[in-house]
Amino acid sequence: MWSQSYFLFGNNLAVSALIAAVPIFTLLLLLGVLRKPAWIAGLAGLAVSLVLALGGYHMPLSLALSATAHGAAFGLFPISWIVFWAIALFRLTVDTGKFEIIKESLGRLTSDRRMQALLIAFAFGAFIEGAAGFGTPVAVAAAMLTGLGFPPLRAAAICLLANTSPVAFGSIGIPIVTLAGITGLPLDKLSAAAGRLCAPVSLFVPAYLVLSIGGIPALRGCWLPVVVAGISFASTQFLVSNFVGPQLTDIAAALVTMVALIAVSRFWKAKDGELFLNVATEAAVVEDRHKTVPVSAGQVFYAWLPYALLVVCVLLWGFKPFQNRLNLFNVNFQWPMLHDLVLRMPPIANAPSPYHAIYSFNWLSASGTSCMVATLLSAIALRVSFSTFVVVILTTCRQLFLPTVTVASVLAMAFLLNYSGATSTYGMAFASTGAIFPFCSAILGWLGVFLTGSDTSANALFGNLQVVTATRLGLDPVLLAATNSVGGVMGKMISLQTISVAAAATGMSTLDQSKLFRFTLKHSILLVSVIGCLAMLYAYVLHF
């Protein structure tokens, strides 16, 4: 059994944290400065992490390779499994011509790009996040926006920014539920604390979304839908998280917001919609591909049927009694040459404790399987021939090859950093900041999601550290645990895993992937700073 150590080459914590951060600096350099494709950055980051684990932390080679394989397996399933079937469903609607009818039906509701972004990326994306999570909303919404005529870079940027509001309560509240299980803190109090941190940001995300993409002129011409979307989502998110619980927070907020936006679209006509396409992030104005084609109600019904089936399947898979039955078929096993062979040491753990490595092959209950069933049912309902369906699957495989390499390499890197002790070194460095720890608490969660691509994983990783540090500093452990989760949300948009999902969904070029990372990085830093300031306010002034 190998014991973790958190100080490198006998150096103090600050120096050790800087050395441990070299893999992160590698990702930032390759993506943000050298503009390399995400898959190259992911593989390079993994290689540097392996050198760090072996040479810096003296991790045995067998453990390092096993941790790497464990992470890669998690990247392939369930993460890439979700993305594959979400894109396959979209390709099915395109190849059968149904997406043209979807565009026409949306055009009848609103032809304004900003309203389409609010409806699909913000509201519908939040609904899918609340029901499924794990990359599904970005894949589905980004693919839909691209099909509507949005440029790939624009569609991906919109969806990544919009996805900041619901992630903390995604997948039927799994991040908060996991946080409660890890820390032993009351679930209702964690839910309420997260809601109080999320709601002020959610209130402004619709405006921020339009403003960051189209500037003040675009926002000025669409102010009422933006206000309605922000108030609808934030107020519902606050009320449900505080008085009901985390499980239905996103679903309820998204449904209320969709209804409110559709109602507004009936009497409000946004102005200067073309300005939404003339923004600094794009070199040229993209021609609006929307063309009016007379369609019947029956055609509209069948065109939207795949997404209706997706919603039904996702909700069914999230229904606990049904989910529990599917979980009976899970294949859970201890990851070989890793499970309980690594000891986590104080102060990361209260006492030396084995680091578990359990892989769950939940082939039936996984969110990706719900997308697969929706795709198969859609193919049957639309009477798609077997040959057409095979073409859809093969096209999706070709489209997702490099994004899958990215996801697998990034998750392999994250698991290796976790089991080697590098991630714990970061956590201890942030925990040593004293009075400004509430602000750094958000940064710690942000870093966790940047590395793992998952708010749930970041909560499992740093939840206990937040509680231990809060207790030592005399701060509210519920607040800081919730700050870890909500701060982590803002790291979702810069995670290579999420960027690769968005790139796969939109068919984005490798050059645009680095542009997307640079675009989201500045917004991610700004938003996590807002969460950090809110945490400081709650910790020292409002004392909720």
Side-chain angles (χ1 to χ4, degrees):
M1 185 173 287
W2 176 72
S3 301
Q4 289 183 339
S5 61
Y6 309 117
F7 297 89
L8 293 167
F9 309 113
N11 288 300
N12 61 29
L13 184 59
V15 175
S16 297
L18 284 174
I19 298 173
V22 171
I24 299 175
F25 295 146
T26 300
L27 294 180
L28 294 174
L29 175 66
L30 290 176
L31 269 179
V33 180
L34 301 180
R35 305 183 183 185
K36 297 297 183 182
W39 67 273
I40 291 179
L43 289 174
L46 175 59
V48 173
S49 300
L50 189 59
V51 172
L52 176 71
L54 298 175
Y57 289 96
H58 305 293
M59 189 180 192
L61 178 61
S62 61
L63 292 179
L65 294 178
S66 186
T68 300
H70 189 198
F74 185 77
L76 294 174
F77 187 96
I79 304 301
S80 295
W81 181 246
I82 295 170
V83 180
F84 180 88
W85 288 107
I87 302 305
L89 180 68
F90 171 72
R91 293 299 326 167
L92 189 68
T93 63
V94 171
D95 290 0
T96 56
K98 301 302 180 183
F99 203 84
E100 289 300 316
I101 300 175
I102 290 176
K103 288 198 290 184
E104 165 61 18
S105 64
L106 279 174
R108 291 180 181 180
L109 184 63
T110 175
S111 60
D112 187 90
R113 297 296 198 195
R114 296 160 298 185
M115 284 291 290
Q116 291 173 352
L118 291 174
L119 272 168
I120 295 173
F122 182 70
F124 184 64
F127 180 87
I128 298 297
E129 177 68 45
F134 295 102
T136 313
V138 172
V140 172
M144 290 183 72
L145 289 183
T146 304
L148 287 170
F150 283 74
L153 177 59
R154 185 87 49 77
I158 290 169
C159 291
L160 291 177
L161 287 176
N163 199 227
T164 55
S165 292
V167 169
F169 298 97
S171 192
I172 318 295
I174 284 297
I176 303 298
V177 172
T178 300
L179 188 61
I182 290 292
T183 61
L185 296 173
L187 178 63
D188 58 340
K189 291 186 177 180
L190 284 172
S191 176
R196 293 170 194 177
L197 286 163
C198 281
V201 177
S202 297
L203 182 65
F204 297 103
V205 164
Y208 188 84
L209 181 68
V210 175
L211 185 64
S212 63
I213 304 295
I216 293 176
L219 180 60
R220 187 186 301 121
C222 193
W223 67 269
L224 182 59
V226 164
V227 169
V228 168
I231 292 176
S232 299
F233 194 93
S235 59
T236 307
Q237 186 181 56
F238 178 86
L239 292 172
V240 176
S241 63
N242 275 263
F243 301 108
V244 178
Q247 290 86 353
L248 297 177
T249 297
D250 279 348
I251 292 175
L255 287 174
V256 169
T257 304
M258 281 190 282
V259 170
L261 283 172
I262 291 172
V264 167
S265 69
R266 295 297 184 183
F267 66 87
W268 171 268
K269 298 300 179 184
K271 300 176 182 178
D272 302 321
E274 68 277 2
L275 290 173
F276 194 60
L277 293 177
N278 289 317
V279 295
T281 54
E282 294 293 337
V285 175
V286 177
E287 180 182 357
D288 187 352
R289 301 181 215 163
H290 176 73
K291 297 179 181 180
T292 303
V293 179
V295 292
S296 66
Q299 288 175 305
V300 172
F301 171 79
Y302 275 104
W304 278 100
L305 185 59
Y307 288 103
L309 290 170
L310 175 64
V311 169
V312 171
C313 289
V314 163
L315 287 176
L316 183 60
W317 257 249
F319 182 55
K320 281 298 179 184
F322 185 75
Q323 188 180 83
N324 291 337
R325 286 185 174 272
L326 296 180
N327 281 333
L328 296 175
F329 298 92
N330 289 2
V331 179
N332 301 319
F333 60 91
Q334 299 172 356
W335 195 262
M337 302 177 66
L338 184 64
H339 177 72
D340 285 355
L341 295 180
V342 175
L343 273 181
R344 304 184 78 186
M345 305 298 289
I348 298 304
N350 294 327
S353 56
Y355 200 160
H356 302 317
I358 304 293
Y359 185 76
S360 178
F361 185 61
N362 55 335
W363 60 284
L364 265 184
S365 61
S367 297
T369 304
S370 69
C371 295
M372 180 191 74
V373 172
T375 303
L376 295 175
L377 291 176
S378 299
I380 295 171
L382 299 178
R383 299 178 181 178
V384 175
S385 67
F386 179 75
S387 60
T388 300
F389 189 76
V390 169
V391 169
V392 167
I393 298 300
L394 292 177
T395 302
T396 305
C397 288
R398 286 195 297 270
Q399 183 178 346
L400 293 182
F401 176 72
L402 287 180
T404 301
V405 171
T406 304
V407 171
S409 62
V410 170
L411 266 297
M413 171 183 164
F415 275 57
L416 180 57
L417 292 176
N418 292 348
Y419 282 94
S420 68
T423 309
S424 298
T425 302
Y426 311 146
M428 289 172 58
F430 280 110
S432 66
T433 53
I436 63 168
F437 182 67
F439 184 90
C440 294
S441 178
I443 304 295
L444 188 56
W446 176 80
L447 178 63
V449 175
F450 169 67
L451 289 174
T452 65
S454 166
D455 198 40
T456 302
S457 298
N459 286 344
L461 193 60
F462 292 133
N464 267 328
L465 181 65
Q466 298 275 13
V467 171
V468 170
T469 306
T471 303
R472 288 178 179 174
L473 296 175
L475 298 169
D476 185 354
V478 172
L479 169 63
L480 295 192
T483 302
N484 186 87
S485 185
V486 180
V489 167
M490 305 311 166
K492 187 82 170 178
M493 70 179 79
I494 59 170
S495 166
L496 282 194
Q497 173 190 311
T498 312
I499 287 177
S500 63
V501 168
T506 58
M508 188 186 304
S509 67
T510 55
L511 178 61
D512 278 349
Q513 290 178 34
S514 60
K515 287 182 180 179
L516 178 63
F517 178 78
R518 294 198 304 276
F519 174 81
T520 54
L521 179 61
K522 58 186 178 184
H523 296 292
S524 180
I525 293 173
L526 174 61
L527 290 171
V528 75
S529 299
V530 170
I531 296 299
C533 291
L534 278 174
M536 293 284 285
L537 183 67
Y538 284 135
Y540 297 117
V541 180
L542 298 182
H543 300 290
F544 71 86

